[in-house]
Amino acid sequence: MKVIRGISQMRAFTKNARAKEQTIGFVPTMGALHEGHLSLIRRARRDCDKVAVSIFVNPAQFGPKEDFKSYPRHPKKDLLLCGRGKVDAVFMPAAKDIYPPHFCTYVSVSGLSDVLCGRSRIGHFRGVATIVAKLFNIIEPDVAYFGQKDAQQAIIIGRMARDLNMPVNIRLMPTIREPSGLAKSSRNAYLSLEEKQRASVLYRALKMARELIRMGHKDASKIKKRMQRLISAHKITVEYISMVDLVDLAPVTKLYGTVLIALAARIGKTRLIDNIIVKI
Ligand code: PAF
C-alpha cells in the first residue's frame, strides 16, 4: 500500500493505473475510520482494479464554532485498517497544498446545500463540494463511494458531478449501524456509553415513521410530531426532522413516491444525523 502525501505523486499513481487500463475506486474520508468507511472500501475493492482512500480533515467544511480542532485523528490506526482492507493508495495531503496561499475558488451547489443540515451549518456543503471536486480532479476516480448516513452530502456530490460533467460515478452505500441501531460515525467517539444508548432512539424514531407510513399514514407533519415526542423523551434536542424528495430535497407534506426522512439532533454538545429512504 502506498501512502502518498504530494499531489503530483497522487497524479502519478492515477496515470500509472490508467496506462494499464485499470479502474480506480475512491473513498474520500476525514479519517477516524470505522466500519462504515470499511464497508465502502470493501465495495470499492470488489468493483475496481485499484482502490484509493483519502484522509484529510478538511478545514473548509467546519464552521468557526465547530469541532475542527477536536475532530478525532488516528492516522496510524487508519493506515492499519486501510492496509487490512487491501487499499492500494492512501492520499494524505497537507492542508497547505490543498489550500495554498490566495486560494479563492469554491464549488457551491445552490439550493441543495441550504436545506436540512445546510440551515445550521452555513458554508459546510460548500466546503465539502470544494474538497471533493479537488480530490476528483487529483485522483480522477471512475467510481466514488459515499455512505447513506450523509445522504444530503452524497446527493450534493452527485449533482455537482452531473452539473460539472465530472466523469465519475457516485455510488451510495447503506448506513452501517451499531447493534443498537445507532448509525456509525466518527463523532460517536464524543458520546459516553449512556449517551450512545440514548442516541439509539434516533433510528427507532426513523423506523417508527417507516412503520406508520407502511400502515397507511400519509401526513408528514403528524408523523414528524410523533418522532419528535419519542426523541425528546430521551433528553435529546431535535434540530430538525424532515421528509423530503430524494432528488431536490424539497419538503413533502403528503407522503408518496420515494421519500428521504432525515434528522439531526444534539446530545449534549454532540450533533448526530441519521436518515432512511422510504419507498411508498
Ligand atoms: O464525509 C466525509 O467524511 C467528508 O465530508 C468528505 C466527503 C471526506 C469530505 O471532506
Side-chain angles (χ1 to χ4, degrees):
M1 182 177 79
K2 285 196 165 99
V3 179
I4 300 175
R5 299 193 192 263
I7 291 174
S8 49
Q9 287 89 330
M10 192 64 231
R11 286 195 196 283
F13 172 89
T14 296
K15 200 171 165 197
N16 193 32
R18 291 271 172 259
K20 295 181 193 149
E21 296 190 5
Q22 290 172 322
T23 54
I24 301 173
F26 173 45
V27 181
T29 83
M30 297 205 298
L33 301 184
H34 52 68
E35 190 47 42
H37 299 110
L38 301 183
S39 73
L40 304 182
I41 292 173
R42 274 197 297 275
R43 183 59 199 253
R45 189 67 285 167
R46 261 186 23 221
D47 292 350
C48 302
D49 300 315
K50 294 283 181 198
V51 176
V53 170
S54 64
I55 298 179
F56 179 66
V57 185
N58 173 34
Q61 69 187 74
F62 290 81
K65 290 190 183 143
E66 292 185 351
D67 55 344
F68 173 67
K69 282 211 175 108
S70 59
Y71 194 83
R73 288 165 172 87
H74 309 295
K76 276 194 191 136
K77 188 176 163 211
D78 290 345
L79 288 177
L80 205 76
L81 291 171
C82 286
R84 281 193 205 144
K86 302 202 173 8
V87 168
D88 297 291
V90 182
F91 182 44
M92 299 173 85
K96 66 174 175 34
D97 294 333
I98 293 292
Y99 298 112
H102 310 297
F103 181 90
C104 59
T105 306
Y106 291 88
V107 179
S108 196
V109 182
S110 56
L112 294 180
S113 299
D114 307 322
V115 296
L116 306 179
C117 289
R119 273 192 209 284
S120 64
R121 302 193 70 189
I122 309 296
H124 168 67
F125 289 113
R126 184 180 87 140
V128 171
T130 302
I131 187 65
V132 174
K134 284 172 70 74
L135 292 168
F136 284 179
N137 281 338
I138 295 166
I139 297 170
E140 297 179 55
D142 296 276
V143 191
Y145 297 83
F146 293 86
Q148 191 194 311
K149 186 191 69 81
D150 298 297
Q152 184 177 12
Q153 163 172 283
I155 290 166
I156 287 171
I157 299 301
R159 183 70 69 88
M160 171 188 80
R162 194 204 67 173
D163 287 356
L164 297 182
N165 305 95
M166 293 172 164
V168 56
N169 286 316
I170 306 300
R171 196 150 289 167
L172 187 68
M173 300 297 295
T175 303
I176 304 295
R177 299 181 180 279
E178 306 271 359
S180 69
L182 176 65
K184 296 254 185 188
S185 162
S186 305
R187 288 193 170 96
N188 289 356
Y190 300 146
L191 299 173
S192 68
L193 209 62
E194 184 268 337
E195 285 175 324
K196 270 191 183 166
Q197 274 157 3
R198 271 196 287 137
S200 65
V201 74
L202 300 179
Y203 186 49
R204 287 206 298 285
L206 289 165
K207 283 195 299 185
M208 178 185 76
R210 182 166 58 200
E211 213 37 56
L212 289 169
I213 293 168
R214 281 187 183 154
M215 284 160 61
H217 293 259
K218 292 259 183 285
D219 186 330
S221 76
K222 280 191 186 151
I223 299 174
K224 284 194 281 186
K225 271 189 198 134
R226 287 184 63 169
M227 293 173 72
Q228 165 93 47
R229 272 206 301 275
L230 176 62
I231 296 171
S232 306
H234 290 74
K235 291 189 288 174
I236 295 174
T237 312
V238 173
E239 185 185 294
Y240 70 78
I241 298 172
S242 293
M243 300 194 182
V244 296
D245 180 273
L246 202 53
V247 176
D248 59 10
L249 301 182
V252 290
T253 45
K254 290 280 169 229
L255 298 164
Y256 295 104
T258 303
V259 176
L260 174 72
I261 309 181
L263 57 82
R266 279 183 195 278
I267 301 195
K269 283 188 184 148
T270 308
R271 184 177 184 277
L272 298 175
I273 57 172
D274 203 350
N275 67 77
I276 54 171
I277 296 169
V278 184
K279 289 195 180 117
I280 303 154

